[in-house]
Amino acid sequence: MRPTPHKALAASALGIAALAAALLPVTPAAAAPPTAPLAADCTPAQVVTNGGFESGTSPWTQSSTVITSRSGQSAHGGTSFAWLNGVGSTHTDTLSQSVTIPSGCSSATLTFWLHIDTAETTSSTAYDKLTAKIGSTTLATYSNLNKATGYVQKSFDVSAFAGQTVSLAFTGTEDSSLQTSFVLDDIALDTSGGTTPPADSTRTPAAPSYTVSLSSNTSGTVWTGHESATFTNASSTALSEVYLRLWDNYHGTCSAMPIAVSNVTGGTAGALSVGCTALRIALPTPLAQGQSTTIGFDLGITVPSGADRFGYDGAFSMIGNALPVLAIKDGSGWHLDPYTNNGESFYSLAADFKVTLDHPTTLLVPATGTSVDTPGSSGRTVTTATASKVRDFAWAAGPFSKISGTSAAGTPINIYSVSGISSSSAQSMLTTAKTAVDAHAGRFGAYPYGELDAVIDNNFWFGGMEYPGFVLDLVSTTALTHEIGHQWFYGIVGDDEYNSPWLDEAFTDYATDLALGSTGTNCWNSVSWASTAEKITNSMAYWDAHSSRYSTVVYGYGKCALHDLRRVLGDTAMAKLLKDYATSHWYGVSTTAEFKAAAQAATTTDLTSFWTQHRIDG
């Protein structure tokens, strides 16, 4: 993904809730040491039951009728919510549930959505209050001073309570006059992370193969059908479970999920976790090393409104990260990191996809892989897309304008434009794509994915977004060259995008500079660190907490560090290093440690001080 001023503006809008939360007066949580020893393993889970209040009142304990769907307030998702107070006289409401945070989990995060409205007119006195507690620890106190339009999400690290059964409680109090309503919805407590990793560091499940058949509604915003996944356990440790990542549930709520999986075969579906983006499937018998199996499930996809990587913009739907894919287990355990809207979380192994998309003929459907259209039932077309050794599959649907061409090296390229994109802009993007794909292929290895589709929409808030053989972009030479560069760094040479974002973004921005003739002369001279904790190699967990610095450091400082490395090694040696590194990691996974070792092997100069100066750890 390439951030642009469009992204910065939209990110500010999307970040209002987080900013509002940061400005609210809260009572800091006291340190609470766990009372039970941590076990060796953690089963990631969402431990709040009925957090969306859509299944009645159980197991919540409430005062009077706090859980409701009555008029006067609205739900964050679904139809029900918890409405505390709003009486306008001296009154106390309570809502609580006992929760157990599993032993061995290194991460536990409580989230809930809160709406506050009030008839109080003061700007200085907290007459009415809501207190959130876990166990005996007060997490936060809100009041009539925190009134806001709409819901705001709150988030708290409650990892210290691992191994404990504690009460999650909310208490609202009003004084003698003027109502304040505290409205709660979609309460969740996600746990993940083990204390003892598996003995085997092999990445598994390996060699995944996905077969998907979906049919759309008339507008291409709803898709239903079936998906199956075949995979092999590459690890010497038997595999008793797998996890599906339902990434786009981030764009909804757990009570109104855009990605719905049902009727699982080949395993037993367990609880959803990590904001309902991870679904555990227990295998009927442990899968030994070298053994293969298949799971299947019915799939429903509902595209939300918005010019997003998953969203519809008018008549045009963008459907990225919508197909469930298998999570990776390695020496660190299961990788079940949360979705990030600031960058990417998408860590997956190269896989084969065969995807059949049945849709109205009025809609064009660009997609990952090579597509073949055949007539369907009356007024419909069946697009069958096949792709080999790709990490994900994305598509779009809409009445696009399409132009096509072929790069000098022979790569077929299709440009799909939404309404409002001029024919000259589309032609310019076709020219850019032809040049970019050949430039990157000449440096890192031949483009292996057959055709390349680019969807152009100037309403994309995020600038551009990459998928194998398929990109979303603005009308921008730099951005499109960058997204096409991702076909190599993240696509062909994979990485853990959540924990090592520099390995795809910095390398791609460096490749973009080279393709556009920028040498990065003196760009490292403008580096200024915001803190001692700031490093090029920080994870998205860090950058989500320091989002204003993400682009500057990961993209800017990251590519400048690579330009500096080129000056240390020399142009020829650097070019050979990257070409050889791509070849040795083709369809594999790159790590910072492996790249540093390869760079050191390419020179007799000791690079220890170079990595320290450029804050490249690992």
Side-chain angles (χ1 to χ4, degrees), residues 316-385:
F316 304 92
S317 293
M318 315 303 162
I319 310 171
N321 306 113
L323 292 185
V325 295
L326 291 162
I328 296 174
K329 183 183 184 184
D330 60 18
S332 300
W334 285 105
H335 285 259
L336 300 178
D337 296 304
Y339 185 103
T340 174
N341 212 34
N342 196 33
E344 287 83 44
S345 305
F346 316 126
Y347 180 29
S348 55
L349 297 181
D352 295 337
F353 285 82
K354 181 178 181 180
V355 180
T356 302
L357 303 169
D358 183 324
H359 56 89
T361 302
T362 53
L363 304 179
L364 297 183
V365 180
T368 291
T370 300
S371 296
V372 175
D373 288 344
T374 57
S377 58
S378 178
R380 297 182 70 86
T381 295
V382 177
T383 298
T384 301

Side-chain angles (χ1 to χ4, degrees), residues 495-527:
D495 66 283
D496 180 344
E497 292 188 300
Y498 188 85
N499 289 298
S500 301
W502 90 287
L503 287 172
D504 50 277
E505 296 298 358
F507 280 63
T508 296
D509 237 23
Y510 174 77
T512 301
D513 273 5
L514 297 183
L516 297 178
S518 174
T519 62
T521 302
N522 296 324
C523 70
W524 187 261
N525 295 349
S526 61
V527 167

Side-chain angles (χ1 to χ4, degrees), residues 251-274:
H251 299 277
T253 66
C254 288
S255 56
M257 294 182 290
I259 310 300
V261 167
S262 59
N263 299 323
V264 174
T265 59
T268 303
L272 285 159
S273 61
V274 198

Side-chain angles (χ1 to χ4, degrees), residues 7 46 76 126 166-167 215-217 235 299 327 399 437 537:
K7 176 174 181 177
Q46 198 290 102
H76 175 256
V166 290
S167 175
S215 180
S216 82
N217 64 352
S235 170
L299 176 64
V437 72
T537 47

